[in-house]
Amino acid sequence: MSRPPLNPNHDPATPGDDGQGTGNDNIGRSSAGGPRPVGIVVISIVVVLEALALLAAGVLYVYELVTGAPVASFWGAVFTLGLLLAFSALLFAVGHFLFRGYRWTRAPALVAQLFALTIGFPTMTGGLVPAGLAMVVPALAGIVFLFDKRVIAFASRAGGSRAAL
């Protein structure tokens, strides 16, 4: 059996890099060998913080349901709780895989930022300026970084398995 050709950019003096592009030493590096863009780190942190906020809202929602807070429909409240927890889990996954550079994460990250804007602006104009700014500013930063060419180049890894040989 033959081995695949070595990467011409391979530096044999780099420890842990086998030159095959297998990613044995890809912490902090893109598939092209460059460093992880700051925008990826910022967006990943923003998305994970949004996931934590949804999880905290879900926990508070459970507490309110258990202590007997009045609700119009119990099953509607359970459905809302399920949505909060599902969206939190989705955002945790998006933040994790965006940090790793997967392509599919850019769209849900953008949608999450747009949802944060649609909630943040009315919150801010409704008189809760600090809470509104806490939603709007990270969402705007995330949107700006999502369209950065370095972020797009880094987050272009397709899913799937590696080559067998």
Side-chain angles (χ1 to χ4, degrees), residues 50 113 115-117 119-121 123-124 130-140:
E50 289 169 347
Q113 303 322 305
F115 279 143
L117 286 177
I119 295 170
F121 275 120
T123 301
M124 193 168 51
L133 285 174
M135 288 185 257
V136 169
V137 171
L140 287 176

Side-chain angles (χ1 to χ4, degrees), residues 61-138:
Y61 206 75
V62 167
Y63 173 75
E64 292 293 325
L65 285 176
V66 169
T67 58
V71 293
S73 165
F74 176 75
W75 293 111
V78 170
F79 178 74
T80 303
L81 174 64
L83 283 178
L84 280 171
L85 297 178
F87 287 143
S88 176
L90 173 70
L91 286 180
F92 276 121
V94 168
H96 171 73
F97 287 109
L98 181 65
F99 187 76
R100 292 179 59 194
Y102 280 84
R103 176 183 326 169
W104 64 268
T105 58
R106 292 191 317 253
L110 177 63
V111 170
Q113 303 322 305
L114 293 175
F115 279 143
L117 286 177
T118 59
I119 295 170
F121 275 120
T123 301
M124 193 168 51
T125 58
L128 299 171
V129 176
L133 285 174
M135 288 185 257
V136 169
V137 171

